[in-house]
Amino acid sequence: MKIKRIGVLTRDCAGVNACLRAIVRTAAYHNIEVMGIFRGYEGLMNDDMKIFDRRAVSGIINLGGTILKTSRAKKFMTGQGQRRAVAVIEQNNIDGLIVVGGNGSLAGAHVLADKYNIPVIGVPATIDNDINGVEMSIGADTAINVALDALDKIRDTATSLERIFVVEVMGRDCGFIALRAALAGGCEDAIIPEKKFSIEKIAEEITEGNVRGKVSWIVVVAEGKAKAGVIAGQITGLTGLETREVVLGHIQRGGIPTAFDRILAARYGNYAVELLKNGESGKCVAIKNYQMSSVPLAQAIKHKDIQAEDYYKLIKLLT
Ligand code: F6P
């Protein structure tokens, strides 16, 4: 079947707009029309969409978030919601769909492709970088750099005041940002969902370090594993040393995308259109050894090994 019109829906993180731009302009190059679907699956079920031509994506390459807006669509989890989405796709003569987002979005994409036979290609975009079989997701590099920038600034005060900081980064089920930012920032420890931790051991190391003259310390915590305030209080309780906590929150998901994320977004967006055009479906775009490739959506939504143990060991070895 010749693809004449595709629909695009997105989640938000830095680089998603650059990806939308690449999708629209690659499609235009092939004379394929693009329907921009607003507010993710919610907008798909509500028939909330409009045609995006080349000019509609001008000046967005450096913008964070998503100009398509996004939402969490609980109704799409139901058969009724999914059938409604399929009906809207058919009514709008959409021949294929590109879904740009994280695990939840790609799980929805998998359902549409697998259960309803809709041609769908997924594009990984999540700061957690937890899409299985995908080395890097759009938004992850920007998020690490935002966290790193904050860690560097916090380090200035930690060193000057000889103080302990506990910094909470994003990652509900995944320690990717915590581990990568901690390694890049030369932090002393990372508390992550993938690994058991002992607050007594951390306190012991801080006390021993203190005796040796190591008086500043940064512990990075992934939000899904523990709260910075609780950890900071426990460290003070066990060591008698002063601590401060910082919660970075959503600043990590927004902001100007890094060059890495924009380049990835351009390549992923372009490749997603090429795959759909060539009759592929049920796949998620990926890079392997800097080359474009893809993984089945069914595989992409499974648990990803983020090499937590290796990164953690390196953080500790370099402390
Ligand atoms: O999955 C991406 C992510 O940013 C996680 O790191 C975080 O736990 C979650 O989304 C936050 O979701 P929300 O913005 O809906 O609170």
Side-chain angles (χ1 to χ4, degrees):
M1 183 188 70
K2 189 166 168 6
I3 301 265
K4 294 197 208 92
R5 179 183 274 185
I6 60 176
V8 185
L9 63 88
T10 68
R11 273 294 282 175
D12 72 297
C13 62
V16 165
N17 283 324
C19 183
L20 177 64
R21 174 180 178 271
I23 291 169
V24 169
R25 294 198 171 165
T26 304
Y29 173 79
H30 290 300
N31 291 318
I32 297 171
E33 207 166 50
V34 175
M35 285 295 244
I37 301 165
F38 294 98
R39 296 180 183 80
Y41 290 109
E42 193 68 43
L44 181 58
M45 291 181 293
N46 293 337
D47 199 358
D48 185 8
M49 56 184 81
K50 74 166 198 201
I51 290 175
F52 269 56
D53 63 11
R54 298 181 69 90
R55 294 275 65 79
V57 290
S58 292
I60 66 167
I61 197 165
N62 57 340
L63 299 184
T66 169
I67 62 164
L68 285 177
K69 311 218 182 286
T70 193
S71 65
R72 288 205 193 279
K74 284 210 184 101
K75 200 175 157 207
F76 186 71
M77 313 271 193
T78 66
Q80 196 197 4
Q82 290 158 11
R83 286 191 294 278
R84 169 76 195 140
V86 171
V88 172
I89 289 171
E90 284 166 1
Q91 278 157 24
N92 284 282
N93 299 316
I94 291 173
D95 306 314
L97 199 64
I98 296 179
V99 174
V100 184
N103 261 315
S105 308
L106 298 182
H110 176 55
V111 169
L112 286 175
D114 196 52
K115 211 164 149 196
Y116 298 93
N117 247 337
I118 303 285
V120 184
I121 296 295
V123 176
T126 164
I127 61 170
D128 291 345
N129 201 26
D130 58 350
I131 306 303
N132 187 38
V134 173
E135 281 168 17
M136 276 306 268
S137 294
I138 296 170
D141 185 66
T142 304
I144 302 171
N145 277 291
V146 170
L148 179 62
D149 180 56
L151 288 171
D152 283 346
K153 287 170 178 154
I154 290 164
R155 169 82 64 202
D156 289 346
T157 301
T159 314
S160 306
L161 267 165
E162 305 189 319
R163 207 184 243 171
I164 299 153
F165 274 84
V166 181
V167 183
E168 188 178 311
V169 297
M170 273 184 139
R172 196 166 29 211
D173 309 307
C174 183
F176 173 81
I177 299 175
L179 285 174
R180 278 23 174 214
L183 181 60
C187 300
E188 281 71 18
D189 219 316
I191 298 177
I192 50 165
E194 290 82 356
K195 195 174 162 54
K196 282 196 181 136
F197 76 101
S198 152
I199 195 69
E200 287 77 18
K201 188 157 179 286
I202 293 173
E204 210 175 290
E205 283 179 16
I206 291 175
T207 307
E208 277 169 15
N210 209 264
V211 172
R212 286 197 321 268
K214 181 173 173 47
V215 280
S216 72
W217 209 278
I218 299 180
V219 179
V220 181
V221 189
E223 61 176 346
K225 184 66 172 180
K227 295 290 139 211
V230 174
I231 298 293
Q234 288 174 336
I235 292 175
T236 299
L238 289 165
T239 62
L241 296 168
E242 214 181 333
T243 51
R244 289 288 186 275
E245 78 253 18
V246 181
V247 179
L248 297 185
H250 284 78
I251 62 162
Q252 296 155 95
R253 209 157 83 195
I256 299 170
T258 58
F260 181 92
D261 271 333
R262 295 187 209 187
I263 292 163
L264 193 64
R267 296 183 78 198
Y268 277 174
N270 169 267
Y271 195 56
V273 175
E274 295 297 337
L275 288 182
L276 263 188
K277 186 180 156 279
N278 293 336
E280 304 268 6
S281 177
K283 293 187 170 167
C284 176
V285 299
I287 39 162
K288 279 191 192 121
N289 300 324
Y290 297 99
Q291 300 299 316
M292 296 310 303
S293 73
S294 64
V295 283
L297 279 168
Q299 187 189 326
I301 57 178
K302 296 224 168 91
H303 176 77
K304 177 179 176 181
D305 176 5
I306 61 156
Q307 297 171 271
E309 205 54 52
D310 291 353
Y311 276 82
Y312 185 79
K313 273 191 193 142
L314 192 53
I315 289 166
K316 296 308 289 177
L317 186 142
L318 300 179
T319 297

Short mmCIF file of all heavy atoms in Angstrom, two decimals, residues 158-201:
data_model
loop_
_atom_site.label_atom_id
_atom_site.label_comp_id
_atom_site.label_asym_id
_atom_site.label_seq_id
_atom_site.Cartn_x
_atom_site.Cartn_y
_atom_site.Cartn_z
N ALA A 158 29.36 22.59 47.94
CA ALA A 158 29.76 21.43 48.75
C ALA A 158 31.24 21.54 49.13
O ALA A 158 31.62 21.33 50.28
CB ALA A 158 29.50 20.14 47.98
N THR A 159 32.07 21.92 48.16
CA THR A 159 33.51 22.04 48.41
C THR A 159 33.81 23.24 49.30
O THR A 159 34.57 23.13 50.26
CB THR A 159 34.27 22.21 47.06
OG1 THR A 159 33.76 21.25 46.15
CG2 THR A 159 35.76 22.00 47.23
N SER A 160 33.19 24.37 48.98
CA SER A 160 33.49 25.60 49.74
C SER A 160 33.08 25.47 51.20
O SER A 160 33.80 25.88 52.10
CB SER A 160 32.77 26.79 49.12
OG SER A 160 33.07 26.88 47.76
N LEU A 161 31.90 24.89 51.41
CA LEU A 161 31.39 24.80 52.78
C LEU A 161 31.71 23.46 53.45
O LEU A 161 31.32 23.22 54.59
CB LEU A 161 29.86 25.00 52.78
CG LEU A 161 29.40 26.43 52.99
CD1 LEU A 161 27.95 26.59 52.61
CD2 LEU A 161 29.60 26.86 54.44
N GLU A 162 32.37 22.59 52.73
CA GLU A 162 32.74 21.26 53.22
C GLU A 162 31.49 20.56 53.77
O GLU A 162 31.40 20.19 54.93
CB GLU A 162 33.84 21.38 54.28
CG GLU A 162 35.05 22.15 53.72
CD GLU A 162 36.25 22.13 54.63
OE1 GLU A 162 36.06 22.26 55.84
OE2 GLU A 162 37.37 21.97 54.11
N ARG A 163 30.56 20.36 52.88
CA ARG A 163 29.25 19.89 53.27
C ARG A 163 28.81 18.68 52.44
O ARG A 163 29.33 18.45 51.35
CB ARG A 163 28.28 21.04 53.00
CG ARG A 163 27.08 21.07 53.85
CD ARG A 163 26.23 22.21 53.35
NE ARG A 163 26.05 23.26 54.33
CZ ARG A 163 25.49 24.44 54.04
NH1 ARG A 163 25.13 24.70 52.81
NH2 ARG A 163 25.30 25.33 54.97
N ILE A 164 27.82 17.97 52.95
CA ILE A 164 27.28 16.80 52.22
C ILE A 164 25.97 17.20 51.55
O ILE A 164 25.10 17.80 52.19
CB ILE A 164 27.02 15.64 53.21
CG1 ILE A 164 28.33 15.23 53.87
CG2 ILE A 164 26.38 14.45 52.52
CD1 ILE A 164 28.13 14.63 55.23
N PHE A 165 25.85 16.86 50.28
CA PHE A 165 24.62 17.13 49.54
C PHE A 165 23.99 15.83 49.06
O PHE A 165 24.70 14.89 48.65
CB PHE A 165 24.90 18.00 48.31
CG PHE A 165 24.89 19.47 48.59
CD1 PHE A 165 26.03 20.10 49.09
CD2 PHE A 165 23.75 20.23 48.39
CE1 PHE A 165 26.03 21.46 49.35
CE2 PHE A 165 23.74 21.60 48.66
CZ PHE A 165 24.88 22.22 49.14
N VAL A 166 22.67 15.78 49.13
CA VAL A 166 21.94 14.66 48.52
C VAL A 166 21.08 15.27 47.42
O VAL A 166 20.27 16.16 47.67
CB VAL A 166 21.05 13.93 49.56
CG1 VAL A 166 20.31 12.77 48.89
CG2 VAL A 166 21.89 13.44 50.73
N VAL A 167 21.31 14.83 46.19
CA VAL A 167 20.63 15.44 45.03
C VAL A 167 19.70 14.41 44.38
O VAL A 167 20.14 13.34 43.96
CB VAL A 167 21.66 15.96 43.99
CG1 VAL A 167 20.95 16.65 42.84
CG2 VAL A 167 22.65 16.92 44.65
N GLU A 168 18.42 14.76 44.35
CA GLU A 168 17.43 13.84 43.75
C GLU A 168 17.23 14.17 42.28
O GLU A 168 16.92 15.30 41.92
CB GLU A 168 16.12 13.99 44.52
CG GLU A 168 15.06 12.97 44.16
CD GLU A 168 13.80 13.15 45.00
OE1 GLU A 168 13.91 13.27 46.24
OE2 GLU A 168 12.71 13.22 44.40
N VAL A 169 17.41 13.15 41.44
CA VAL A 169 17.20 13.33 40.00
C VAL A 169 15.99 12.50 39.57
O VAL A 169 15.46 11.71 40.35
CB VAL A 169 18.45 12.91 39.18
CG1 VAL A 169 19.65 13.78 39.51
CG2 VAL A 169 18.78 11.45 39.36
N MET A 170 15.55 12.67 38.32
CA MET A 170 14.36 11.94 37.86
C MET A 170 14.69 10.48 37.55
O MET A 170 15.85 10.12 37.37
CB MET A 170 13.75 12.62 36.66
CG MET A 170 12.77 13.70 37.07
SD MET A 170 11.98 14.41 35.65
CE MET A 170 10.31 14.54 36.25
N GLY A 171 13.66 9.69 37.48
CA GLY A 171 13.81 8.26 37.20
C GLY A 171 12.97 7.46 38.18
O GLY A 171 13.41 7.13 39.26
N ARG A 172 11.71 7.22 37.77
CA ARG A 172 10.78 6.51 38.66
C ARG A 172 11.18 5.04 38.80
O ARG A 172 11.25 4.52 39.89
CB ARG A 172 9.36 6.63 38.09
CG ARG A 172 8.30 6.29 39.08
CD ARG A 172 6.93 6.72 38.61
NE ARG A 172 6.81 6.74 37.16
CZ ARG A 172 6.02 7.59 36.49
NH1 ARG A 172 5.31 8.47 37.13
NH2 ARG A 172 5.95 7.54 35.17
N ASP A 173 11.48 4.41 37.67
CA ASP A 173 11.83 2.99 37.71
C ASP A 173 13.24 2.75 37.20
O ASP A 173 13.64 1.60 37.02
CB ASP A 173 10.86 2.18 36.82
CG ASP A 173 9.43 2.49 37.14
OD1 ASP A 173 9.06 2.39 38.32
OD2 ASP A 173 8.68 2.85 36.21
N CYS A 174 13.96 3.80 36.92
CA CYS A 174 15.22 3.63 36.21
C CYS A 174 16.30 4.58 36.74
O CYS A 174 16.06 5.78 36.90
CB CYS A 174 14.95 3.90 34.72
SG CYS A 174 16.37 3.65 33.69
N GLY A 175 17.48 4.03 36.97
CA GLY A 175 18.59 4.83 37.52
C GLY A 175 19.50 5.41 36.45
O GLY A 175 20.63 5.80 36.77
N PHE A 176 19.05 5.46 35.22
CA PHE A 176 19.93 5.92 34.14
C PHE A 176 20.49 7.32 34.41
O PHE A 176 21.71 7.52 34.39
CB PHE A 176 19.17 5.90 32.79
CG PHE A 176 19.96 6.52 31.67
CD1 PHE A 176 20.94 5.80 31.00
CD2 PHE A 176 19.75 7.85 31.30
CE1 PHE A 176 21.69 6.39 30.00
CE2 PHE A 176 20.48 8.44 30.30
CZ PHE A 176 21.46 7.71 29.64
N ILE A 177 19.61 8.30 34.65
CA ILE A 177 20.11 9.68 34.84
C ILE A 177 21.02 9.73 36.07
O ILE A 177 22.09 10.35 36.04
CB ILE A 177 18.93 10.67 35.01
CG1 ILE A 177 18.05 10.68 33.76
CG2 ILE A 177 19.45 12.09 35.30
CD1 ILE A 177 16.81 11.55 33.89
N ALA A 178 20.60 9.06 37.14
CA ALA A 178 21.39 9.10 38.38
C ALA A 178 22.80 8.57 38.14
O ALA A 178 23.79 9.21 38.53
CB ALA A 178 20.68 8.28 39.46
N LEU A 179 22.91 7.43 37.49
CA LEU A 179 24.23 6.82 37.29
C LEU A 179 25.11 7.62 36.35
O LEU A 179 26.29 7.84 36.63
CB LEU A 179 24.07 5.40 36.72
CG LEU A 179 23.60 4.33 37.69
CD1 LEU A 179 23.35 3.03 36.94
CD2 LEU A 179 24.61 4.11 38.81
N ARG A 180 24.52 8.06 35.23
CA ARG A 180 25.34 8.77 34.24
C ARG A 180 25.74 10.15 34.77
O ARG A 180 26.89 10.58 34.60
CB ARG A 180 24.58 8.93 32.92
CG ARG A 180 24.56 7.75 31.94
CD ARG A 180 24.81 6.41 32.49
NE ARG A 180 24.64 5.33 31.51
CZ ARG A 180 24.17 4.13 31.79
NH1 ARG A 180 23.81 3.82 33.04
NH2 ARG A 180 24.09 3.20 30.87
N ALA A 181 24.81 10.86 35.40
CA ALA A 181 25.14 12.19 35.93
C ALA A 181 26.13 12.07 37.08
O ALA A 181 27.04 12.89 37.20
CB ALA A 181 23.87 12.91 36.37
N ALA A 182 25.98 11.05 37.91
CA ALA A 182 26.89 10.87 39.04
C ALA A 182 28.30 10.58 38.54
O ALA A 182 29.29 11.11 39.06
CB ALA A 182 26.40 9.74 39.94
N LEU A 183 28.40 9.76 37.51
CA LEU A 183 29.73 9.44 36.96
C LEU A 183 30.36 10.69 36.34
O LEU A 183 31.52 11.01 36.59
CB LEU A 183 29.61 8.31 35.93
CG LEU A 183 30.92 7.85 35.29
CD1 LEU A 183 31.91 7.32 36.33
CD2 LEU A 183 30.66 6.77 34.23
N ALA A 184 29.55 11.39 35.52
CA ALA A 184 30.08 12.60 34.85
C ALA A 184 30.41 13.70 35.86
O ALA A 184 31.32 14.49 35.63
CB ALA A 184 29.06 13.11 33.83
N GLY A 185 29.68 13.74 36.96
CA GLY A 185 29.87 14.80 37.95
C GLY A 185 30.87 14.45 39.04
O GLY A 185 31.07 15.24 39.96
N GLY A 186 31.46 13.27 38.96
CA GLY A 186 32.42 12.85 39.98
C GLY A 186 31.78 12.72 41.36
O GLY A 186 32.41 13.01 42.39
N CYS A 187 30.52 12.26 41.39
CA CYS A 187 29.82 12.16 42.68
C CYS A 187 30.25 10.90 43.43
O CYS A 187 30.77 9.96 42.83
CB CYS A 187 28.31 12.16 42.46
SG CYS A 187 27.80 13.69 41.66
N GLU A 188 29.99 10.91 44.72
CA GLU A 188 30.53 9.84 45.56
C GLU A 188 29.63 8.60 45.64
O GLU A 188 30.09 7.51 45.94
CB GLU A 188 30.78 10.38 46.98
CG GLU A 188 32.07 11.19 47.12
CD GLU A 188 32.02 12.56 46.44
OE1 GLU A 188 30.92 13.05 46.14
OE2 GLU A 188 33.09 13.14 46.21
N ASP A 189 28.32 8.79 45.41
CA ASP A 189 27.45 7.61 45.48
C ASP A 189 26.18 7.85 44.66
O ASP A 189 25.84 9.00 44.35
CB ASP A 189 27.07 7.29 46.94
CG ASP A 189 27.04 5.79 47.18
OD1 ASP A 189 26.50 5.06 46.33
OD2 ASP A 189 27.58 5.34 48.20
N ALA A 190 25.51 6.77 44.31
CA ALA A 190 24.24 6.87 43.59
C ALA A 190 23.28 5.83 44.16
O ALA A 190 23.65 4.66 44.32
CB ALA A 190 24.45 6.64 42.10
N ILE A 191 22.07 6.27 44.47
CA ILE A 191 21.04 5.36 44.99
C ILE A 191 20.01 5.19 43.87
O ILE A 191 19.40 6.18 43.43
CB ILE A 191 20.41 5.95 46.27
CG1 ILE A 191 21.49 6.08 47.36
CG2 ILE A 191 19.25 5.11 46.75
CD1 ILE A 191 21.01 6.72 48.66
N ILE A 192 19.84 3.97 43.40
CA ILE A 192 19.05 3.74 42.17
C ILE A 192 18.08 2.56 42.35
O ILE A 192 18.33 1.67 43.18
CB ILE A 192 19.99 3.43 40.97
CG1 ILE A 192 21.01 2.34 41.36
CG2 ILE A 192 20.69 4.70 40.50
CD1 ILE A 192 21.72 1.73 40.19
N PRO A 193 17.00 2.54 41.56
CA PRO A 193 16.02 1.45 41.69
C PRO A 193 16.59 0.06 41.39
O PRO A 193 16.10 -0.93 41.90
CB PRO A 193 14.94 1.80 40.64
CG PRO A 193 15.10 3.25 40.39
CD PRO A 193 16.56 3.56 40.59
N GLU A 194 17.63 -0.01 40.58
CA GLU A 194 18.17 -1.31 40.15
C GLU A 194 19.03 -1.97 41.22
O GLU A 194 19.46 -3.11 41.04
CB GLU A 194 19.04 -1.14 38.90
CG GLU A 194 18.30 -0.79 37.63
CD GLU A 194 17.98 0.69 37.51
OE1 GLU A 194 18.28 1.44 38.45
OE2 GLU A 194 17.41 1.08 36.48
N LYS A 195 19.31 -1.29 42.33
CA LYS A 195 20.31 -1.81 43.25
C LYS A 195 19.89 -1.56 44.70
O LYS A 195 19.41 -0.47 45.03
CB LYS A 195 21.63 -1.07 42.95
CG LYS A 195 22.84 -1.70 43.54
CD LYS A 195 24.10 -0.99 43.06
CE LYS A 195 25.26 -1.32 43.96
NZ LYS A 195 25.52 -2.73 44.16
N LYS A 196 20.11 -2.58 45.55
CA LYS A 196 19.86 -2.39 46.98
C LYS A 196 20.92 -1.44 47.54
O LYS A 196 22.04 -1.40 47.05
CB LYS A 196 20.00 -3.74 47.71
CG LYS A 196 18.80 -4.62 47.54
CD LYS A 196 18.84 -5.74 48.58
CE LYS A 196 17.64 -6.62 48.39
NZ LYS A 196 17.94 -8.03 48.45
N PHE A 197 20.56 -0.67 48.54
CA PHE A 197 21.57 0.19 49.16
C PHE A 197 21.46 0.10 50.67
O PHE A 197 20.43 -0.28 51.21
CB PHE A 197 21.42 1.63 48.67
CG PHE A 197 20.28 2.38 49.30
CD1 PHE A 197 20.49 3.28 50.35
CD2 PHE A 197 18.99 2.18 48.86
CE1 PHE A 197 19.44 3.96 50.92
CE2 PHE A 197 17.92 2.86 49.43
CZ PHE A 197 18.14 3.76 50.46
N SER A 198 22.56 0.43 51.34
CA SER A 198 22.56 0.43 52.79
C SER A 198 22.95 1.84 53.25
O SER A 198 24.05 2.31 52.96
CB SER A 198 23.56 -0.62 53.30
OG SER A 198 24.05 -0.23 54.56
N ILE A 199 22.03 2.49 53.94
CA ILE A 199 22.30 3.85 54.40
C ILE A 199 23.43 3.83 55.45
O ILE A 199 24.24 4.76 55.53
CB ILE A 199 21.01 4.54 54.93
CG1 ILE A 199 21.20 6.04 55.07
CG2 ILE A 199 20.51 3.92 56.22
CD1 ILE A 199 21.34 6.80 53.81
N GLU A 200 23.49 2.71 56.20
CA GLU A 200 24.56 2.58 57.20
C GLU A 200 25.93 2.56 56.51
O GLU A 200 26.88 3.18 56.98
CB GLU A 200 24.40 1.29 58.03
CG GLU A 200 23.25 1.31 59.03
CD GLU A 200 21.90 1.10 58.36
OE1 GLU A 200 21.85 0.61 57.20
OE2 GLU A 200 20.87 1.42 59.00
N LYS A 201 26.00 1.84 55.38
CA LYS A 201 27.27 1.75 54.65
C LYS A 201 27.67 3.13 54.11
O LYS A 201 28.83 3.54 54.19
CB LYS A 201 27.15 0.73 53.53
CG LYS A 201 28.44 0.42 52.83
CD LYS A 201 28.38 -0.95 52.16
CE LYS A 201 29.68 -1.26 51.43
NZ LYS A 201 29.82 -0.48 50.19
#
